[in-house]
């Protein structure tokens, strides 16, 4: 009697050879277990009468800077811009989803459209549902625009369905590097409500530059959008200006080397 | 080895699946996606004679980062409108914020439906039981939160119910939950329930008489809550930024916000 039940009814190795697992290769359903082509930081900052949001135009394939003309800011219904960090194929899926949502909403016939707050609620529920099915959309999104009362709105949603809102937000590497810089100009909602467009855009551009210096998965070409009640001003082919590299030719060796 | 053996049982079963590990089978794709995270923060609830205070800090974290300095984790539940002006129950959730938000929305919808179907607001006792079944309903994929429910019971006395993530619950005088629960709870034992406090000069050793346990007035409870959080902020990095207090009395729910240290 063999007392190991897992062997009962199985062919014996010494008679038939080791069991061949090859035919079992069509295993469990494949979900996004890890991101492949990725976008890095998205930055956004509220100001007096709107929100500025920016993201560079790079889609990396691991450490390879694979696609250098990928637009990661998406307009929605004249009042909202969504910025995508993380997996690019999942970003493109969400883009199609938002297209069909936009079309569905247009069937209503009323002039009423989804505002930034509505869109953020929608997207965060999509993200939470997908994580609960163990099939996440591997992104962190920033939703920038105006809420139902026409006030500046900025909020985040990520692959786990976590949501939060703040006067300034940054995803990925930007959360470490840009967020401290942005908090200097907009420490709280009151401070953000005093910022002008120029100040806000300047702070975002400065942060994008710091990220290009320090983030190995970033690019000096970027998109930037300003959302106000007058509409969306989206520029998709900006180039970082006034970089500081002149100090570098003074640096020699790693310690005692003179020339 | 097996080829020299006349009796396979002598040196193991020699069947192809005999070495199958009892844990995850080799060759299966490892799932690197982990559906939970911890957003830090702490909550605290204390019930009094005719009131209940539920408080929570407003910081949301991920790792060493601060997501935002204002993300409430105490919510009014079951009002007739979205503004929740006429709500009588308060729920606090701390742990994984996305699960917390989902749980809060589910409970709120259920309590609103109860009012619609029965023509009266839900009692804390009924809501407490229902919350337990909601949590247990996800027993094998739990809401990763520590919930505390507060309100006034049928006699108008303060009521606090505390939960574990899968629905075990208990009515209590006071409860701290979240990141700094282990820092706050012993302080509450001492200052709310007068544990280890004795009447001076009432005897020697075991003959000492315990201090009489009397329910605290509201202003003293508010001070305890503030002190508890100020202390937690000093010693726990995930607690800080702001303190939100919801005070439930028979005349409604009052909200108080106080700044905490932002370091």
């Amino acid at each position: 009697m063999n007392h190991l039940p897992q062997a009962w009814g199985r062919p014996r190795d010494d008679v038939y050879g080791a069991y061949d697992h090859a035919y079992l290769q069509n295993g469990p359903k494949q979900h996004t277990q890890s991101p492949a082509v990725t976008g890095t930081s998205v930055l956004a900052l509220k100001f007096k009468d709107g929100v500025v949001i920016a993201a560079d135009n790079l889609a990396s394939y691991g450490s390879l800077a694979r696609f250098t003309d990928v637009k990661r800011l998406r307009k929605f219904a004249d009042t909202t811009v969504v910025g995508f960090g993380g997996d690019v194929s999942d970003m493109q899926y969400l883009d199609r989803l938002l297209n069909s949502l936009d079309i569905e909403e247009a069937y209503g016939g009323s002039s009423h459209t989804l505002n930034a707050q509505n869109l953020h609620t929608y997207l965060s529920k999509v993200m939470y549902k997908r994580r609960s099915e163990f099939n996440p959309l591997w992104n962190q999104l920033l939703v920038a625009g105006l809420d139902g009362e026409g006030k500046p709105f900025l909020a985040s949603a990520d692959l786990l369905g976590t949501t939060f809102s703040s006067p300034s937000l940054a995803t990925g590497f930007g959360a470490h590097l840009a967020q401290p810089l942005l908090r200097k100009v907009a420490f709280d909602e009151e401070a953000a409500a005093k910022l002008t467009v120029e100040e806000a855009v300047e702070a975002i551009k400065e942060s994008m530059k710091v990220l290009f210096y320090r983030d190995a998965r970033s690019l000096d070409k970027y998109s930037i959008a300003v959302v106000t009640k007058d509409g969306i001003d989206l520029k998709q082919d900006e180039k970082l200006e006034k970089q500081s590299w002149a100090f570098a030719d003074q640096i020699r060796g790693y310690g005692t080397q003179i020339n | 080895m097996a080829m020299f053996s006349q009796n396979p049982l002598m040196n193991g079963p020699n069947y192809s699946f005999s070495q199958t590990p009892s844990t995850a089978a080799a060759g299966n794709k490892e799932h690197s996606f982990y559906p939970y995270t911890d957003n830090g923060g702490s909550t605290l609830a204390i019930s009094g004679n005719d009131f209940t205070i539920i408080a929570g800090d407003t910081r949301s974290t991920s790792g060493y980062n601060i997501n935002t300095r204002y993300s409430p984790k105490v919510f009014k539940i079951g009002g007739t409108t979205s503004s929740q002006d006429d709500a009588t129950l308060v729920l606090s959730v701390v742990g994984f914020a996305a699960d917390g938000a989902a749980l809060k929305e589910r409970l709120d919808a259920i309590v609103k439906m109860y009012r619609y179907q029965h023509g009266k607001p839900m009692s804390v006792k009924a809501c407490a039981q229902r919350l337990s079944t909601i949590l247990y309903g996800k027993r094998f994929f739990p809401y990763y939160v520590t919930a505390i429910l507060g309100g006034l019971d049928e006699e108008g006395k303060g009521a606090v119910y505390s939960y574990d993530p899968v629905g075990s619950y208990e009515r209590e005088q006071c409860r701290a939950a979240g990141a700094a629960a282990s820092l706050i709870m012993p302080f509450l034992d001492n200052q709310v329930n007068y544990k280890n406090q004795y009447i001076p000069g009432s005897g020697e050793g075991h003959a000492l008489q315990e201090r009489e346990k009397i329910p605290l007035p509201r202003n003293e409870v508010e001070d305890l809550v503030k002190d508890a959080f100020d202390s937690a902020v000093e010693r726990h990095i995930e607690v800080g930024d702001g303190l939100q207090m919801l005070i439930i009395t028979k005349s409604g729910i009052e909200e108080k916000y106080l700044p905490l240290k932002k370091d």
Side-chain angles (χ1 to χ4, degrees), chain A:
Chain A
M1 178 62 191
N2 172 10
H3 294 279
L4 294 169
Q6 63 265 44
W8 294 352
R10 299 292 183 187
R12 282 170 55 173
D13 282 358
D14 55 342
V15 179
Y16 298 102
Y19 190 79
D20 179 13
H21 289 89
Y23 85 101
L24 280 172
Q25 284 312 299
N26 53 340
K29 194 173 154 194
Q30 295 287 298
H31 296 317
T32 307
Q33 301 297 338
S34 59
V37 178
T38 58
T40 183
S41 323
V42 186
L43 314 180
L45 173 62
K46 284 200 230 181
F47 63 95
K48 201 165 50 178
D49 25 42
V51 193
V52 196
I53 182 168
D56 69 26
N57 292 351
L58 177 67
S60 306
Y61 184 68
S63 56
L64 175 67
R66 179 68 183 82
F67 306 103
T68 55
D69 194 24
V70 175
K71 308 293 159 55
R72 299 194 286 122
L73 300 185
R74 185 207 191 277
K75 285 203 248 187
F76 188 90
D78 301 329
T79 58
T80 310
V81 174
V82 187
F84 295 87
D87 192 276
V88 169
S89 62
D90 286 347
M91 171 186 90
Q92 289 164 342
Y93 166 80
L94 281 164
D95 184 49
R96 293 195 299 273
L97 190 73
L98 289 177
N99 264 329
S100 48
L101 178 69
D102 203 8
I103 292 165
E104 259 176 61
E105 286 297 306
Y107 272 107
S110 69
S111 59
H112 183 81
T113 51
L114 294 175
N115 59 45
Q117 193 169 25
N118 300 147
L119 197 69
H120 175 257
T121 306
Y122 175 84
L123 285 169
S124 62
K125 303 241 160 180
V126 171
M127 302 299 273
Y128 185 71
K129 177 152 199 300
R130 289 290 294 261
R131 88 96 215 187
S132 299
E133 289 166 349
F134 277 82
N135 184 16
L137 293 162
W138 214 286
N139 301 104
Q140 189 179 350
L141 322 167
L142 296 188
V143 182
L146 304 172
D147 66 11
E149 289 151 19
K151 291 213 203 67
F153 176 88
L154 174 59
S156 160
D158 69 11
L159 70 163
L160 294 175
T162 317
T163 58
F164 45 84
S165 180
S166 174
S168 62
L169 284 174
T171 74
F173 220 94
H176 298 96
L177 275 178
Q179 196 59 307
L181 300 168
L182 297 174
R183 281 185 184 143
K184 278 209 283 193
V185 297
F187 184 77
D188 51 20
E189 293 288 347
E190 291 90 79
K194 285 181 189 132
L195 281 179
T196 63
V197 202
E198 292 79 19
E199 288 169 326
V201 170
E202 177 59 27
I204 288 287
K205 285 188 175 176
E206 197 57 34
S207 302
M208 287 302 286
K209 194 157 75 185
V210 171
L211 281 169
F212 180 60
Y213 288 148
R214 295 290 180 182
D215 181 358
R217 306 280 178 272
S218 68
L219 196 67
D220 52 354
K221 281 199 305 173
Y222 66 100
S223 307
I224 185 165
V226 179
V227 195
T228 58
K229 66 176 187 308
D230 301 326
I232 299 166
D233 178 21
L234 173 62
K235 300 198 199 88
Q236 294 195 301
D237 287 295
E238 297 294 283
K239 182 103 174 135
L240 285 177
E241 286 163 350
K242 287 178 276 177
Q243 291 181 38
S244 158
W245 293 106
F247 67 94
D249 64 359
Q250 306 302 316
I251 299 167
R252 297 272 187 285
Y254 296 94
T256 55
Q257 182 184 328
I258 297 161
N259 279 301

Side-chain angles (χ1 to χ4, degrees), chain B residues 202-223:
Chain B
S202 61
E204 291 289 318
H206 291 295
L208 273 165
Q209 273 184 285
E210 284 185 10
R211 184 175 169 187
E212 192 196 352
K213 288 170 177 55
I214 35 160
L216 291 162
R218 180 177 149 181
N219 60 329
E220 281 182 35
V221 174
E222 278 185 39
D223 286 342

Side-chain angles (χ1 to χ4, degrees), chain B residues 49-193:
Chain B
N49 237 341
D50 57 351
F51 67 92
T52 296
I53 296 187
I54 299 202
D57 71 321
T58 61
R59 178 177 286 182
S60 162
T61 63
S62 62
Y64 288 121
N65 286 120
I66 293 173
N67 291 329
T68 175
R69 299 192 192 280
Y70 187 74
S71 169
K73 39 186 150 281
V74 285
F75 307 100
K76 296 179 191 174
I77 292 291
T80 52
T81 59
S82 61
S83 68
Q84 304 276 30
D85 286 332
D86 54 350
T88 57
L89 301 170
V90 171
L91 174 72
S92 74
V93 279
V94 64
F96 173 36
D99 273 351
L103 179 64
K104 168 219 126 192
E105 294 201 358
R106 249 180 94 178
L107 187 70
D108 186 46
I110 285 167
V111 177
K112 279 183 162 77
M113 283 305 291
Y114 179 98
R115 191 197 287 263
Y116 174 64
Q117 286 169 338
H118 295 85
K120 63 177 183 188
M122 205 174 195
S123 68
V124 236
K125 196 179 178 183
C127 187
Q129 175 63 258
R130 187 66 183 88
L131 179 53
S132 173
T133 63
I134 293 170
L135 288 164
Y136 196 79
K138 273 171 70 66
R139 173 63 179 79
F140 298 108
F141 185 23
Y143 287 116
Y144 225 137
V145 291
T146 316
I148 303 176
L149 184 74
L152 300 177
D153 65 13
E154 276 100 336
E155 295 166 28
K157 288 189 163 64
V160 163
Y161 290 87
S162 70
Y163 296 79
D164 83 346
V166 290
S168 301
Y169 80 113
E170 180 179 25
R171 183 171 172 178
E172 288 178 301
Q173 201 65 40
C174 61
R175 170 60 67 180
S182 58
L183 281 68
I184 298 176
M185 206 60 218
F187 170 71
L188 260 34
D189 288 338
N190 185 247
Q191 290 296 308
V192 176
N193 294 319

